[in-house]
Amino acid sequence: MRYRNTQQLIADLEKSGQLIRIHEEVDPHLQVAEIQRRAFRAKAPAIMFTNVKGTKFPMVCNIFGTMERTRWIFRDTLRALEGIFKLKVDPFDFFKHPWRYAGVPRAGYSTMPKKVKTGPVLDNTTTVSQLPQLHSWPMDGGGYVTLPQVYTESPDKPGFMHSNIGMYRVQLTGAPFEKDKEIGLHYQIHRGIGYHHAEALRRNEPLKVNVFVGGPPAMTMAAIMPLPEGIAELIFAGALGGFRMPMITRKGQLPLLAEADFCISGTVYPNEQKPEGPFGDHLGYYSLAHDFPLMRVDNVYHRNDAVWPFTTVGRPPQEDTVFGEFIHDLTAELVPTVFNGVHEVHAVDPAGVHPLLLAIGSERYVPYAEERQPQELITCGLSLLGNTQTSLSKYAILAAKEDNQALTTHNYKEFFTHMLERTDFARDFHFITRTTIDTLDYTGISLNQGSKLIWTACGPIKRTLGSSIPSNFSLPDNFSDAKMFMPGVVVVKGPKHTAARDEHDNAMFRLAEHLKNVGKLDSLPLVVVADDADFTAANWDNFLWVTFTRSDPATDMYGAGAFTHCKHWGCAGPVIIDARLKSFHAPALEEDPDVTRAVDSMAAKGGCLHNII
C-alpha cells in the first residue's frame, strides 16, 4: 500500500488492528502528550483522539511507535529503496539526478514531484489558534507542532531540486507572538533551511515558508532524513512513498503539498526574531527561550477530513528513537562511502543521540609498526565531526576494526571495555575547543558553542579492568557513595555544582589530586562524578544519559596526573568525567503529577485506555 495521505494510512492501520479511536474528551495541554509517551513505552497501537478540547480537529499519535509498524507502513517500497542505497554507483547521485537511472524501476519515476493545480489541502482555511495546541511538558512556552514538514526553496535557485524539507520546531502560541499572525520557527545549526535563509538575507529578501502537517507518511520520514546538502528531501519522499508527490504550484507562491492535512503558509522577513521556547526536548531537558526567526502567517489551510498527527520528545527512548533506528538500518551500508575508513557508526539514543557517537574505523596508516597507535582513526574522527549530522556529535569514540573484527558499537559494555583496555590516556584524547555544538546542548560555554572530543584506541591491551572497587580506593571530603558500574568504571556522588559557566571546578581538581595520591588504580581507569550515584550506575540507559548529556569534554574532563604539553592534554589516569547537573544547565523534564493521576485513571480498569497503555 502506498499511502498518499493520512486518511488512507489511518484506515489501513485501523483495519489491521494497529490503531484505536478514543472518543472521550482529552486535553492537548499535557494530557495527550503523556498518553502518547505511555503508548510508546507499552508498544501500543496508534491512537486517534476524536474529541480534543479546544479544537475541532482530531489528533493521532504513535503512528511510528514501533519499528515493526514503521516498516509495515513502507512495506511496498522499502525493498526498492534499500536496493537504491546498495547501488554500486554513488547512491546519493540517484537522488541528485534520478533521471540518469531509468533502469531502476518505479522508484526513479516516483522521485520527481508532480505539479498539480489544486488539491485537498486547499479545501478550507482556518487560524493558528483553532489548531490543536499541543503542550508536551509543563514548562513549554506554548502550543507546538511536533511533526512538521517545513518546506523552503533556494532563493538563488528556486524549484523542487533545490528545496528543503526539515522537521524544525514550530511554536504556534505564546507570550511573544501576536495571536494568529506570528509563529516561532526554531531551526538548529547545520540545517538546510539555514542555507536558504542565508541566501534570502544576502539578497535582502523575505523567505517564503510552508509548514505541512500530515499527508503522505513518506513526507514525514523525509523531513527527518539526514540527506547530504544538495539532495532534495522531496525527491527522497517520492522514492519512499512509491509515487510522485503532488505539489500545488501557483504563480508567485511557494508550492503546497496537495495531500497534506494542514499547511501554514508564511513569510520570514529579514532581521525579525522573537524568543522561542522553552520546549521539552529530546535530550531529556528543556531547551530555553532564545531568539529565533519570526514567521508571519499568511494563510492556514486544511483539508475537509484533516487529522493532526503529533508526537512528543523527551529523555530517550521516545518515538523519535524509532525514526533513528529506521534511518540507521536504511543507510548503514552507506557509511564507508561517506566516511572513508569508517565501518560502523552509532549515534547513541540513550545519550540523546548527538552527545555520543560510537564508531569503528580502520587503522592502516603504519601497518608495519611494532605497536600501532591511532592515526587513521583520528582522520576518521575528524571526518565524522566535519560532515552531515555526525558533525553535531560531542564525544566521538573510535575503536580499530583490526583489533577485533567482531566488535560492534551496539554492545555498550563490550565497546567500552575494548576502549578502556587499550586507551593510552597520555596520548589518545584529542579535544576541539570553542567550536560549534548542538543548539539543544546546554553543557557548553554558550548557546551553540562548546567542545568536542575524539577519543581513539588501538593496539594491544594495556590494562586489566577491575570488577570491584580496589581496597585502597578512597575519596576526599564531599565525595561519597562509590558504585561499581562495569569493570573499570566507578560512579561516585559529588558535591553540588556551583562553578560558573566556562570554568573548571576546583572540587574536581581536588578529586584528581586525591586519586593520584591513592595510586595503583590502573584497573579503574574511568571515574564518573554524578549527583546520584545509585541512579547513574543502575543501568546503561541511566549511565549514558547522565554521563554524556551533563558534561562538556573540555570543561568537565579531569584526570589524575593531568598535564598539558604543546597544547595536548593527557593524564596518567584515572580519567574523571564530571557528569553532575551544572548550575547553568537547563532543567530536566518532569511530568505534571495531576496529569499523571488523570492518565492513571484512564488506564485503570474501566477507563478508556485500560489494557492499552
PDB file of all heavy atoms in Angstrom, residues 27-55:
ATOM      1  N   ASP A  27      -7.284  16.467  26.682  1.00  0.00           N
ATOM      2  CA  ASP A  27      -6.751  17.829  26.702  1.00  0.00           C
ATOM      3  C   ASP A  27      -5.396  17.850  25.994  1.00  0.00           C
ATOM      4  O   ASP A  27      -4.496  17.079  26.345  1.00  0.00           O
ATOM      5  CB  ASP A  27      -6.594  18.285  28.153  1.00  0.00           C
ATOM      6  CG  ASP A  27      -6.423  19.794  28.278  1.00  0.00           C
ATOM      7  OD1 ASP A  27      -5.924  20.422  27.323  1.00  0.00           O
ATOM      8  OD2 ASP A  27      -6.775  20.345  29.344  1.00  0.00           O
ATOM      9  N   PRO A  28      -5.229  18.730  24.990  1.00  0.00           N
ATOM     10  CA  PRO A  28      -3.917  18.820  24.332  1.00  0.00           C
ATOM     11  C   PRO A  28      -2.861  19.470  25.220  1.00  0.00           C
ATOM     12  O   PRO A  28      -1.678  19.464  24.863  1.00  0.00           O
ATOM     13  CB  PRO A  28      -4.198  19.668  23.094  1.00  0.00           C
ATOM     14  CG  PRO A  28      -5.365  20.522  23.473  1.00  0.00           C
ATOM     15  CD  PRO A  28      -6.202  19.665  24.394  1.00  0.00           C
ATOM     16  N   HIS A  29      -3.274  20.025  26.345  1.00  0.00           N
ATOM     17  CA  HIS A  29      -2.329  20.600  27.289  1.00  0.00           C
ATOM     18  C   HIS A  29      -1.858  19.495  28.237  1.00  0.00           C
ATOM     19  O   HIS A  29      -2.545  19.144  29.194  1.00  0.00           O
ATOM     20  CB  HIS A  29      -2.966  21.753  28.065  1.00  0.00           C
ATOM     21  CG  HIS A  29      -2.000  22.489  28.939  1.00  0.00           C
ATOM     22  ND1 HIS A  29      -1.721  22.122  30.228  1.00  0.00           N
ATOM     23  CD2 HIS A  29      -1.213  23.567  28.680  1.00  0.00           C
ATOM     24  CE1 HIS A  29      -0.830  22.935  30.749  1.00  0.00           C
ATOM     25  NE2 HIS A  29      -0.506  23.829  29.833  1.00  0.00           N
ATOM     26  N   LEU A  30      -0.738  18.880  27.925  1.00  0.00           N
ATOM     27  CA  LEU A  30      -0.038  17.875  28.730  1.00  0.00           C
ATOM     28  C   LEU A  30      -0.646  16.484  28.694  1.00  0.00           C
ATOM     29  O   LEU A  30       0.073  15.475  28.684  1.00  0.00           O
ATOM     30  CB  LEU A  30       0.097  18.336  30.187  1.00  0.00           C
ATOM     31  CG  LEU A  30       0.796  19.687  30.414  1.00  0.00           C
ATOM     32  CD1 LEU A  30       0.867  19.985  31.919  1.00  0.00           C
ATOM     33  CD2 LEU A  30       2.180  19.708  29.803  1.00  0.00           C
ATOM     34  N   GLN A  31      -1.992  16.380  28.648  1.00  0.00           N
ATOM     35  CA  GLN A  31      -2.612  15.066  28.811  1.00  0.00           C
ATOM     36  C   GLN A  31      -2.326  14.144  27.619  1.00  0.00           C
ATOM     37  O   GLN A  31      -1.889  13.000  27.802  1.00  0.00           O
ATOM     38  CB  GLN A  31      -4.116  15.214  29.002  1.00  0.00           C
ATOM     39  CG  GLN A  31      -4.805  13.902  29.348  1.00  0.00           C
ATOM     40  CD  GLN A  31      -6.305  14.069  29.536  1.00  0.00           C
ATOM     41  OE1 GLN A  31      -6.971  14.776  28.775  1.00  0.00           O
ATOM     42  NE2 GLN A  31      -6.846  13.427  30.569  1.00  0.00           N
ATOM     43  N   VAL A  32      -2.573  14.596  26.394  1.00  0.00           N
ATOM     44  CA  VAL A  32      -2.363  13.698  25.250  1.00  0.00           C
ATOM     45  C   VAL A  32      -0.878  13.368  25.087  1.00  0.00           C
ATOM     46  O   VAL A  32      -0.517  12.296  24.600  1.00  0.00           O
ATOM     47  CB  VAL A  32      -2.928  14.292  23.935  1.00  0.00           C
ATOM     48  CG1 VAL A  32      -4.434  14.408  23.997  1.00  0.00           C
ATOM     49  CG2 VAL A  32      -2.284  15.621  23.579  1.00  0.00           C
ATOM     50  N   ALA A  33      -0.019  14.288  25.508  1.00  0.00           N
ATOM     51  CA  ALA A  33       1.423  14.025  25.413  1.00  0.00           C
ATOM     52  C   ALA A  33       1.831  12.889  26.336  1.00  0.00           C
ATOM     53  O   ALA A  33       2.608  12.001  25.951  1.00  0.00           O
ATOM     54  CB  ALA A  33       2.207  15.292  25.753  1.00  0.00           C
ATOM     55  N   GLU A  34       1.306  12.907  27.568  1.00  0.00           N
ATOM     56  CA  GLU A  34       1.648  11.819  28.491  1.00  0.00           C
ATOM     57  C   GLU A  34       1.049  10.500  28.015  1.00  0.00           C
ATOM     58  O   GLU A  34       1.695   9.445  28.119  1.00  0.00           O
ATOM     59  CB  GLU A  34       1.177  12.134  29.911  1.00  0.00           C
ATOM     60  CG  GLU A  34       1.573  11.048  30.878  1.00  0.00           C
ATOM     61  CD  GLU A  34       1.626  11.486  32.333  1.00  0.00           C
ATOM     62  OE1 GLU A  34       1.644  12.702  32.599  1.00  0.00           O
ATOM     63  OE2 GLU A  34       1.668  10.594  33.201  1.00  0.00           O
ATOM     64  N   ILE A  35      -0.139  10.543  27.452  1.00  0.00           N
ATOM     65  CA  ILE A  35      -0.724   9.318  26.889  1.00  0.00           C
ATOM     66  C   ILE A  35       0.166   8.789  25.767  1.00  0.00           C
ATOM     67  O   ILE A  35       0.435   7.584  25.686  1.00  0.00           O
ATOM     68  CB  ILE A  35      -2.148   9.591  26.362  1.00  0.00           C
ATOM     69  CG1 ILE A  35      -3.094   9.915  27.528  1.00  0.00           C
ATOM     70  CG2 ILE A  35      -2.662   8.394  25.569  1.00  0.00           C
ATOM     71  CD1 ILE A  35      -4.455  10.412  27.096  1.00  0.00           C
ATOM     72  N   GLN A  36       0.641   9.669  24.901  1.00  0.00           N
ATOM     73  CA  GLN A  36       1.482   9.235  23.786  1.00  0.00           C
ATOM     74  C   GLN A  36       2.762   8.584  24.289  1.00  0.00           C
ATOM     75  O   GLN A  36       3.182   7.547  23.769  1.00  0.00           O
ATOM     76  CB  GLN A  36       1.809  10.430  22.880  1.00  0.00           C
ATOM     77  CG  GLN A  36       2.585  10.064  21.625  1.00  0.00           C
ATOM     78  CD  GLN A  36       4.086  10.013  21.828  1.00  0.00           C
ATOM     79  OE1 GLN A  36       4.633  10.793  22.617  1.00  0.00           O
ATOM     80  NE2 GLN A  36       4.763   9.104  21.148  1.00  0.00           N
ATOM     81  N   ARG A  37       3.400   9.187  25.291  1.00  0.00           N
ATOM     82  CA  ARG A  37       4.651   8.617  25.804  1.00  0.00           C
ATOM     83  C   ARG A  37       4.407   7.236  26.408  1.00  0.00           C
ATOM     84  O   ARG A  37       5.216   6.311  26.245  1.00  0.00           O
ATOM     85  CB  ARG A  37       5.275   9.571  26.829  1.00  0.00           C
ATOM     86  CG  ARG A  37       5.807  10.864  26.199  1.00  0.00           C
ATOM     87  CD  ARG A  37       6.654  11.638  27.179  1.00  0.00           C
ATOM     88  NE  ARG A  37       5.885  12.218  28.271  1.00  0.00           N
ATOM     89  CZ  ARG A  37       5.315  13.422  28.240  1.00  0.00           C
ATOM     90  NH1 ARG A  37       5.411  14.173  27.161  1.00  0.00           N
ATOM     91  NH2 ARG A  37       4.657  13.885  29.280  1.00  0.00           N
ATOM     92  N   ARG A  38       3.312   7.094  27.120  1.00  0.00           N
ATOM     93  CA  ARG A  38       2.993   5.774  27.699  1.00  0.00           C
ATOM     94  C   ARG A  38       2.659   4.767  26.593  1.00  0.00           C
ATOM     95  O   ARG A  38       3.028   3.588  26.683  1.00  0.00           O
ATOM     96  CB  ARG A  38       1.823   5.900  28.669  1.00  0.00           C
ATOM     97  CG  ARG A  38       2.124   6.690  29.920  1.00  0.00           C
ATOM     98  CD  ARG A  38       1.097   6.362  30.974  1.00  0.00           C
ATOM     99  NE  ARG A  38       1.063   7.352  32.035  1.00  0.00           N
ATOM    100  CZ  ARG A  38       0.347   7.199  33.146  1.00  0.00           C
ATOM    101  NH1 ARG A  38      -0.393   6.114  33.326  1.00  0.00           N
ATOM    102  NH2 ARG A  38       0.353   8.138  34.084  1.00  0.00           N
ATOM    103  N   ALA A  39       1.962   5.221  25.568  1.00  0.00           N
ATOM    104  CA  ALA A  39       1.620   4.337  24.458  1.00  0.00           C
ATOM    105  C   ALA A  39       2.892   3.828  23.782  1.00  0.00           C
ATOM    106  O   ALA A  39       2.993   2.648  23.426  1.00  0.00           O
ATOM    107  CB  ALA A  39       0.731   5.064  23.454  1.00  0.00           C
ATOM    108  N   PHE A  40       3.870   4.698  23.628  1.00  0.00           N
ATOM    109  CA  PHE A  40       5.124   4.266  23.018  1.00  0.00           C
ATOM    110  C   PHE A  40       5.812   3.225  23.889  1.00  0.00           C
ATOM    111  O   PHE A  40       6.263   2.187  23.389  1.00  0.00           O
ATOM    112  CB  PHE A  40       6.050   5.466  22.795  1.00  0.00           C
ATOM    113  CG  PHE A  40       7.438   5.050  22.369  1.00  0.00           C
ATOM    114  CD1 PHE A  40       7.687   4.671  21.067  1.00  0.00           C
ATOM    115  CD2 PHE A  40       8.475   5.009  23.290  1.00  0.00           C
ATOM    116  CE1 PHE A  40       8.948   4.256  20.676  1.00  0.00           C
ATOM    117  CE2 PHE A  40       9.741   4.591  22.913  1.00  0.00           C
ATOM    118  CZ  PHE A  40       9.977   4.221  21.596  1.00  0.00           C
ATOM    119  N   ARG A  41       5.897   3.499  25.195  1.00  0.00           N
ATOM    120  CA  ARG A  41       6.567   2.553  26.093  1.00  0.00           C
ATOM    121  C   ARG A  41       5.865   1.200  26.104  1.00  0.00           C
ATOM    122  O   ARG A  41       6.503   0.157  26.263  1.00  0.00           O
ATOM    123  CB  ARG A  41       6.645   3.132  27.502  1.00  0.00           C
ATOM    124  CG  ARG A  41       7.597   4.307  27.644  1.00  0.00           C
ATOM    125  CD  ARG A  41       7.903   4.587  29.108  1.00  0.00           C
ATOM    126  NE  ARG A  41       6.746   5.002  29.867  1.00  0.00           N
ATOM    127  CZ  ARG A  41       6.365   6.266  30.040  1.00  0.00           C
ATOM    128  NH1 ARG A  41       7.072   7.250  29.477  1.00  0.00           N
ATOM    129  NH2 ARG A  41       5.304   6.570  30.770  1.00  0.00           N
ATOM    130  N   ALA A  42       4.540   1.209  25.956  1.00  0.00           N
ATOM    131  CA  ALA A  42       3.754  -0.027  26.003  1.00  0.00           C
ATOM    132  C   ALA A  42       3.687  -0.732  24.655  1.00  0.00           C
ATOM    133  O   ALA A  42       3.050  -1.786  24.541  1.00  0.00           O
ATOM    134  CB  ALA A  42       2.338   0.276  26.479  1.00  0.00           C
ATOM    135  N   LYS A  43       4.340  -0.144  23.623  1.00  0.00           N
ATOM    136  CA  LYS A  43       4.245  -0.678  22.251  1.00  0.00           C
ATOM    137  C   LYS A  43       2.787  -0.821  21.845  1.00  0.00           C
ATOM    138  O   LYS A  43       2.363  -1.825  21.236  1.00  0.00           O
ATOM    139  CB  LYS A  43       4.987  -2.004  22.125  1.00  0.00           C
ATOM    140  CG  LYS A  43       6.494  -1.882  22.363  1.00  0.00           C
ATOM    141  CD  LYS A  43       7.206  -3.179  22.080  1.00  0.00           C
ATOM    142  CE  LYS A  43       8.704  -3.071  22.332  1.00  0.00           C
ATOM    143  NZ  LYS A  43       9.362  -2.077  21.449  1.00  0.00           N
ATOM    144  N   ALA A  44       2.007   0.184  22.189  1.00  0.00           N
ATOM    145  CA  ALA A  44       0.570   0.178  21.938  1.00  0.00           C
ATOM    146  C   ALA A  44       0.285   0.517  20.475  1.00  0.00           C
ATOM    147  O   ALA A  44       1.164   0.980  19.741  1.00  0.00           O
ATOM    148  CB  ALA A  44      -0.117   1.195  22.859  1.00  0.00           C
ATOM    149  N   PRO A  45      -0.944   0.311  20.051  1.00  0.00           N
ATOM    150  CA  PRO A  45      -1.323   0.748  18.699  1.00  0.00           C
ATOM    151  C   PRO A  45      -1.260   2.266  18.579  1.00  0.00           C
ATOM    152  O   PRO A  45      -1.132   2.989  19.575  1.00  0.00           O
ATOM    153  CB  PRO A  45      -2.770   0.254  18.564  1.00  0.00           C
ATOM    154  CG  PRO A  45      -2.959  -0.757  19.638  1.00  0.00           C
ATOM    155  CD  PRO A  45      -2.050  -0.359  20.752  1.00  0.00           C
ATOM    156  N   ALA A  46      -1.349   2.752  17.351  1.00  0.00           N
ATOM    157  CA  ALA A  46      -1.549   4.185  17.150  1.00  0.00           C
ATOM    158  C   ALA A  46      -2.889   4.567  17.787  1.00  0.00           C
ATOM    159  O   ALA A  46      -3.807   3.744  17.877  1.00  0.00           O
ATOM    160  CB  ALA A  46      -1.544   4.513  15.665  1.00  0.00           C
ATOM    161  N   ILE A  47      -2.987   5.803  18.256  1.00  0.00           N
ATOM    162  CA  ILE A  47      -4.200   6.247  18.947  1.00  0.00           C
ATOM    163  C   ILE A  47      -4.726   7.507  18.276  1.00  0.00           C
ATOM    164  O   ILE A  47      -3.992   8.480  18.098  1.00  0.00           O
ATOM    165  CB  ILE A  47      -3.932   6.534  20.437  1.00  0.00           C
ATOM    166  CG1 ILE A  47      -3.380   5.292  21.134  1.00  0.00           C
ATOM    167  CG2 ILE A  47      -5.213   7.011  21.117  1.00  0.00           C
ATOM    168  CD1 ILE A  47      -2.995   5.529  22.589  1.00  0.00           C
ATOM    169  N   MET A  48      -6.011   7.484  17.918  1.00  0.00           N
ATOM    170  CA  MET A  48      -6.660   8.656  17.341  1.00  0.00           C
ATOM    171  C   MET A  48      -7.659   9.212  18.352  1.00  0.00           C
ATOM    172  O   MET A  48      -8.550   8.493  18.819  1.00  0.00           O
ATOM    173  CB  MET A  48      -7.367   8.299  16.038  1.00  0.00           C
ATOM    174  CG  MET A  48      -8.002   9.493  15.345  1.00  0.00           C
ATOM    175  SD  MET A  48      -8.523   9.064  13.669  1.00  0.00           S
ATOM    176  CE  MET A  48      -9.452  10.523  13.219  1.00  0.00           C
ATOM    177  N   PHE A  49      -7.476  10.476  18.708  1.00  0.00           N
ATOM    178  CA  PHE A  49      -8.363  11.157  19.657  1.00  0.00           C
ATOM    179  C   PHE A  49      -9.372  11.959  18.849  1.00  0.00           C
ATOM    180  O   PHE A  49      -9.014  12.914  18.149  1.00  0.00           O
ATOM    181  CB  PHE A  49      -7.560  12.081  20.574  1.00  0.00           C
ATOM    182  CG  PHE A  49      -6.478  11.376  21.355  1.00  0.00           C
ATOM    183  CD1 PHE A  49      -5.158  11.429  20.927  1.00  0.00           C
ATOM    184  CD2 PHE A  49      -6.781  10.665  22.495  1.00  0.00           C
ATOM    185  CE1 PHE A  49      -4.152  10.794  21.640  1.00  0.00           C
ATOM    186  CE2 PHE A  49      -5.784  10.018  23.212  1.00  0.00           C
ATOM    187  CZ  PHE A  49      -4.467  10.080  22.776  1.00  0.00           C
ATOM    188  N   THR A  50     -10.630  11.596  18.942  1.00  0.00           N
ATOM    189  CA  THR A  50     -11.661  12.238  18.122  1.00  0.00           C
ATOM    190  C   THR A  50     -12.311  13.434  18.803  1.00  0.00           C
ATOM    191  O   THR A  50     -13.042  14.188  18.156  1.00  0.00           O
ATOM    192  CB  THR A  50     -12.756  11.226  17.758  1.00  0.00           C
ATOM    193  OG1 THR A  50     -13.378  10.752  18.964  1.00  0.00           O
ATOM    194  CG2 THR A  50     -12.167  10.047  16.993  1.00  0.00           C
ATOM    195  N   ASN A  51     -12.054  13.609  20.107  1.00  0.00           N
ATOM    196  CA  ASN A  51     -12.700  14.686  20.867  1.00  0.00           C
ATOM    197  C   ASN A  51     -11.626  15.424  21.661  1.00  0.00           C
ATOM    198  O   ASN A  51     -11.334  15.081  22.807  1.00  0.00           O
ATOM    199  CB  ASN A  51     -13.767  14.079  21.791  1.00  0.00           C
ATOM    200  CG  ASN A  51     -14.560  15.143  22.535  1.00  0.00           C
ATOM    201  OD1 ASN A  51     -14.431  16.336  22.292  1.00  0.00           O
ATOM    202  ND2 ASN A  51     -15.396  14.697  23.476  1.00  0.00           N
ATOM    203  N   VAL A  52     -11.045  16.426  21.036  1.00  0.00           N
ATOM    204  CA  VAL A  52      -9.911  17.137  21.617  1.00  0.00           C
ATOM    205  C   VAL A  52     -10.370  18.509  22.100  1.00  0.00           C
ATOM    206  O   VAL A  52     -10.948  19.291  21.335  1.00  0.00           O
ATOM    207  CB  VAL A  52      -8.764  17.285  20.597  1.00  0.00           C
ATOM    208  CG1 VAL A  52      -7.581  17.997  21.231  1.00  0.00           C
ATOM    209  CG2 VAL A  52      -8.350  15.928  20.050  1.00  0.00           C
ATOM    210  N   LYS A  53     -10.102  18.784  23.351  1.00  0.00           N
ATOM    211  CA  LYS A  53     -10.527  20.041  23.965  1.00  0.00           C
ATOM    212  C   LYS A  53      -9.940  21.241  23.222  1.00  0.00           C
ATOM    213  O   LYS A  53      -8.751  21.286  22.923  1.00  0.00           O
ATOM    214  CB  LYS A  53     -10.072  20.065  25.429  1.00  0.00           C
ATOM    215  CG  LYS A  53     -10.551  21.258  26.221  1.00  0.00           C
ATOM    216  CD  LYS A  53     -10.128  21.135  27.685  1.00  0.00           C
ATOM    217  CE  LYS A  53     -10.595  22.327  28.509  1.00  0.00           C
ATOM    218  NZ  LYS A  53     -10.177  22.197  29.939  1.00  0.00           N
ATOM    219  N   GLY A  54     -10.793  22.207  22.908  1.00  0.00           N
ATOM    220  CA  GLY A  54     -10.327  23.467  22.343  1.00  0.00           C
ATOM    221  C   GLY A  54     -10.127  23.483  20.850  1.00  0.00           C
ATOM    222  O   GLY A  54      -9.698  24.503  20.297  1.00  0.00           O
ATOM    223  N   THR A  55     -10.430  22.375  20.167  1.00  0.00           N
ATOM    224  CA  THR A  55     -10.252  22.340  18.713  1.00  0.00           C
ATOM    225  C   THR A  55     -11.236  21.351  18.107  1.00  0.00           C
ATOM    226  O   THR A  55     -11.653  20.390  18.759  1.00  0.00           O
ATOM    227  CB  THR A  55      -8.810  21.940  18.337  1.00  0.00           C
ATOM    228  OG1 THR A  55      -8.662  21.962  16.917  1.00  0.00           O
ATOM    229  CG2 THR A  55      -8.463  20.551  18.852  1.00  0.00           C
TER     230      THR A  55
END
